[in-house]
Amino acid sequence: QVQLVESGGGLVQAGGSLRLSCVASRSLFSASATGWYRQPPGKQRELVALIISGGYTNYASSAKGRFTISRDNAKNTVYLQMNSLKPEDTAVYYCNVRWRPEDYWGQGTQVTVSS
């Protein structure tokens, strides 16, 4: 089995910061893409940040300037640093890794931002 385990979610005051971690059971050296998605309550899942081939990154417009995605391949870990959090960032956050040709998902971690 391939497993992705997220951690680092929780309750934080608006303006605060959190760092999410995703530990993979398979080497990230072979991953073609790694990203973070989120699903706010009552809404569809949406892309937050993505690392693709060559180390290029994509961010949702709502995340640019506040969130940073990174990978530590030696530790098989993907991170999402979230700063200046807003109540609208409240969601379940999911780690995603593409090991061609399949996508794998973590179980999700809850992030709640209070006003």
Side-chain angles (χ1 to χ4, degrees):
Q1 291 185 339
V2 175
Q3 291 184 319
L4 302 172
V5 180
E6 301 103 330
S7 63
L11 176 64
V12 65
Q13 186 76 23
S17 298
L18 287 173
R19 189 177 75 158
L20 306 184
S21 299
C22 172
V23 180
S25 63
R26 181 184 292 181
S27 175
L28 293 178
F29 284 108
S30 61
S32 58
T34 306
W36 287 92
Y37 294 72
R38 69 186 181 190
Q39 186 168 16
K43 298 181 180 180
Q44 295 183 336
R45 189 175 298 184
E46 63 186 22
L47 174 69
V48 178
L50 184 69
I51 298 177
I52 59 176
S53 297
Y56 296 105
T57 57
N58 290 332
Y59 292 92
S61 60
S62 60
K64 289 181 179 178
R66 299 189 298 124
F67 294 3
T68 303
I69 187 171
S70 61
R71 275 167 53 169
D72 186 337
N73 290 344
K75 296 182 178 180
N76 289 346
T77 303
V78 187
Y79 302 98
L80 183 67
Q81 178 67 44
M82 304 187 294
N83 299 325
S84 302
L85 284 162
K86 305 173 181 179
E88 51 263 43
D89 295 318
T90 295
V92 178
Y93 284 71
Y94 297 91
C95 178
N96 170 267
V97 180
R98 175 171 291 178
W99 288 283
R100 290 175 180 167
E102 301 292 333
D103 285 305
Y104 297 87
W105 296 88
Q107 82 288 346
T109 185
Q110 176 71 47
V111 172
T112 302
V113 184
S114 62
S115 59

